[in-house]
């Protein structure tokens, strides 16, 4: 190689290194700008608001969305004890086992880029949230996976509990995945609740339902609060401390949630672990109990998921868990790990993107996450069969 060739090679190398440095600086600056663009509301501070124009939402369309919500309040009693007993009166042995609370009126929030573009009603009021609680419960499982308290979501739960809850040929097959996807077909009684008596079929004889051959775990989704409460009970044994404490320390304090939310269990649902009495909380308000929370704290939880488990540059939940949580289950394309998915299926909202997913609870309680449009939507007491139309109107206004 000639001296000239060596000099030329070194010049090209230096120029390449300079170019790479410039590209790195540009990339780093772009990343920092993007990170700084994210907005995370501080605890007890006024939530930043933006106009519909700033959010790139049609002003008239947004007004129509809010008017639609206000015109479609849940028709059940505001005395939720009455609403619960009426709503589940078909179930044999159904009764109120945990605390309830009279609800407020319609409320909701729409966040764009984390900022409030619309809100209505009393967003600070604490109300029951029913099965929205399930999405918080599944997050307790996700954190247990992240911390390696549970090695694998496909592990049989019997490997973690030896108290008889998962004994027998049938129940011993059940994995964490089955419990999270509500296709476990667990059989038994927990806190007085019988698995077979929860949401019986509208057709046929109850005896046929009670004595039917159990489904193979993983094959058929059956929305069932007794089995959800079995998941909560199992996670309590894994964490060895109350799940509300786990939620507070690992999530709610870190996202600046208020101190007003509460997570209740049934009156008799006490467990002794390591010599300490602990309450096993419920995954919903089917018989009372569950998560009591404000719309604003629900919105913060939704914003954490919108940002893939990161809050203000701190990762709280692994990206892997969130992705797994919103994967359709084999038994139901519209259900993941206790999150509903807007895939093409029985619960698809027409006019709304298939990437949308949400937590849903009795009486029209929703946390809706639209990653494509950087939206979080919270509704309280919107008539449940109107939420699809509500979201279609909002999507059209974007």
């Amino acid at each position: 190689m000639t001296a000239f060739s060596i000099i030329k090679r070194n010049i090209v190398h230096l120029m390449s290194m300079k170019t790479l440095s410039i590209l790195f600086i540009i990339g780093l600056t772009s990343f920092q700008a993007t990170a700084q663009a994210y907005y995370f509301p501080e605890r007890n501070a006024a939530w930043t608001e933006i106009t519909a124009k700033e959010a790139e939402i049609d002003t008239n369309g947004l007004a129509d969305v809010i008017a639609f919500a206000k015109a479609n309040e849940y028709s059940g009693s505001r005395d939720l004890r009455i609403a619960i007993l009426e709503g589940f009166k078909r179930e044999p042995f159904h009764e109120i086992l945990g605390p309830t609370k009279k609800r407020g009126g319609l409320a909701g929030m729409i966040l764009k880029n984390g900022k409030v573009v619309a809100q209505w009603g009393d967003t600070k009021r604490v109300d029951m949230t029913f099965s929205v609680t399930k999405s918080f419960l599944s997050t307790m499982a996700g954190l247990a996976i992240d911390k390696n308290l549970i090695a694998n979501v496909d592990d049989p739960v019997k490997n973690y509990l030896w108290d008889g809850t998962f004994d027998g040929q049938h129940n011993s097959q059940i994995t964490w995945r089955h419990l999270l996807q509500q296709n476990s077909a667990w059989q038994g009684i927990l806190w007085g609740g019988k698995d077979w008596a929860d949401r019986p079929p509208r057709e046929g004889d109850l005896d046929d339902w009670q004595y039917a051959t159990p489904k193979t775990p993983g094959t058929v989704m059956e929305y069932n609060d007794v089995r959800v409460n079995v998941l909560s009970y199992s996670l309590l044994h894994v964490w060895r401390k109350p799940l509300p404490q786990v939620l507070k320390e690992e999530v709610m304090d870190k996202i600046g949630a208020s101190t007003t939310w509460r997570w209740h269990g049934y009156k008799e649902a006490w467990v002794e672990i390591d010599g300490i009495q602990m309450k096993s909380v419920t995954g919903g308000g089917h018989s009372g109990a569950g998560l009591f929370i404000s719309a604003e704290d629900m919105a913060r939880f939704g914003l954490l998921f919108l940002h893939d488990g990161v809050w203000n540059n701190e990762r709280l939940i692994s990206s892997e868990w969130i992705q797994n949580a919103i994967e359709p289950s084999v038994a139901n394309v519209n259900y993941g790990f206790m999150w509903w998915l807007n895939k093409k299926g029985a619960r698809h909202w027409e006019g709304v993107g298939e990437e949308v997913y949400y937590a849903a609870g009795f009486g029209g309680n929703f946390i809706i996450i639209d990653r494509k449009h950087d939206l979080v939507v919270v509704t309280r007491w919107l008539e449940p069969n109107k939420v699809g139309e509500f979201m279609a109107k909002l999507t059209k206004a974007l």
Side-chain angles (χ1 to χ4, degrees):
M1 182 179 291
T2 66
F4 176 77
S5 297
I6 293 172
I7 293 170
K8 181 179 178 182
R9 184 188 65 181
N10 288 338
I11 290 172
V12 170
H13 176 70
L14 288 170
M15 290 179 67
S16 299
M17 291 300 293
K18 185 176 181 181
T19 301
L20 287 171
S21 298
I22 291 170
L23 289 174
F24 174 77
I25 292 168
I26 291 172
L28 181 61
T29 303
S30 175
F31 172 80
Q32 290 173 335
T34 302
Q36 291 169 357
Y38 290 156
Y39 168 74
F40 297 93
E42 296 182 8
R43 187 196 297 272
N44 292 326
W47 207 309
T48 299
E49 299 181 16
I50 56 175
T51 65
K53 183 177 180 180
E54 289 172 321
E56 299 181 329
I57 301 176
D58 178 71
T59 303
N60 293 331
L62 182 60
D64 182 45
V65 169
I66 298 170
F68 180 83
K70 291 180 176 179
N72 287 282
E73 182 173 349
Y74 169 57
S75 57
S77 173
R78 289 202 179 192
D79 185 335
L80 290 175
R81 185 179 181 87
I82 294 173
I84 291 169
L85 291 172
E86 176 64 25
F88 300 106
K89 63 184 180 183
R90 292 179 53 258
E91 297 183 12
F93 314 113
H94 180 258
E95 58 182 320
I96 302 293
L97 300 173
T100 63
K101 182 179 185 291
K102 292 183 178 180
R103 70 173 177 86
L106 285 157
M109 301 177 73
I110 299 174
L111 308 183
K112 174 70 171 178
N113 302 324
K115 300 173 182 177
V116 177
V117 67
Q119 57 185 328
W120 57 98
D122 185 353
T123 58
K124 295 184 183 297
R125 178 187 169 92
V126 172
D127 271 334
M128 296 181 71
T129 197
F130 292 92
S131 286
V132 167
T133 310
K134 291 177 174 60
S135 300
F136 286 80
L137 177 61
S138 77
T139 303
M140 299 301 93
L143 291 170
I145 290 283
D146 288 346
K147 293 179 181 296
N148 205 29
L149 299 177
I150 298 172
N152 193 298
V153 75
D154 291 312
D155 283 350
V157 188
K158 70 174 184 178
N159 293 356
Y160 298 80
L161 265 78
W162 43 261
D163 65 354
T165 305
F166 293 91
D167 283 356
Q169 183 177 358
H170 177 77
N171 285 349
S172 63
Q173 304 173 62
I174 295 170
T175 66
W176 294 102
R177 182 184 300 276
H178 296 148
L179 290 174
L180 287 160
Q181 294 178 340
Q182 294 212 64
N183 52 41
S184 72
W186 181 86
Q187 289 191 301
I189 299 173
L190 182 66
W191 317 131
K194 302 171 177 62
D195 74 279
W196 65 268
D198 191 299
R199 293 176 176 82
R202 296 186 179 276
E203 306 293 334
D205 189 276
L206 278 178
D207 285 341
D208 294 338
W209 176 254
Q210 178 180 1
Y211 298 111
T213 302
K215 309 292 193 303
T216 301
T219 61
V220 178
M221 178 188 169
E222 295 177 310
Y223 206 80
N224 186 294
D225 276 82
V226 174
R227 292 165 184 161
V228 169
N229 293 339
V230 169
L231 170 62
S232 180
Y233 173 79
S234 302
L235 288 170
L236 174 60
H237 280 268
V238 167
W239 279 101
R240 302 169 80 106
K241 60 181 177 180
L243 296 189
Q245 183 180 341
V246 177
L247 178 62
K248 180 180 186 297
E249 294 172 352
E250 301 292 338
V251 178
M252 302 302 273
D253 283 351
K254 294 180 179 181
I255 65 176
S258 75
T259 60
T260 62
W261 64 272
R262 298 290 183 272
W263 194 353
H264 294 286
Y266 296 151
K267 183 171 61 176
E268 304 298 333
W270 288 101
V271 182
E272 182 180 315
I273 297 178
D274 300 331
I276 301 172
Q277 289 289 316
M278 301 179 190
K279 178 63 70 77
S280 184
V281 292
T282 68
H286 178 247
S287 295
L291 195 64
F292 291 44
I293 192 170
S294 70
E296 291 188 10
D297 284 345
M298 290 168 70
R300 286 175 182 269
F301 186 73
L303 195 57
L304 174 63
F305 274 77
L306 180 70
H307 287 301
D308 196 40
V310 174
W311 187 274
N312 205 16
N313 296 322
E314 180 183 2
R315 178 160 292 285
L316 307 184
I317 307 167
S318 71
S319 180
E320 293 79 8
W321 172 261
I322 292 179
Q323 186 55 46
N324 288 333
I326 59 175
E327 284 292 321
S329 60
V330 172
N332 189 330
V333 71
N334 293 124
Y335 206 65
F337 289 168
M338 296 188 172
W339 288 92
W340 289 99
L341 318 175
N342 194 44
K343 303 296 184 184
K344 293 288 186 183
R347 287 183 63 126
H348 178 67
W349 296 336
E350 290 295 337
V352 180
E354 288 192 53
E355 73 284 348
V356 169
Y357 66 97
Y358 57 97
F362 178 86
N365 290 279
F366 291 89
I367 304 173
I368 302 165
I369 296 154
D370 182 346
R371 292 182 295 183
K372 179 180 178 181
H373 297 108
D374 209 356
L375 287 176
V376 173
V377 180
V378 172
T379 73
R380 311 300 309 265
W381 318 116
L382 172 67
E383 191 67 61
N385 62 11
K386 297 292 185 180
V387 67
E389 189 175 351
F390 169 89
M391 283 303 299
K393 286 179 177 290
L394 178 57
T395 302
K396 186 177 180 181
L398 295 174

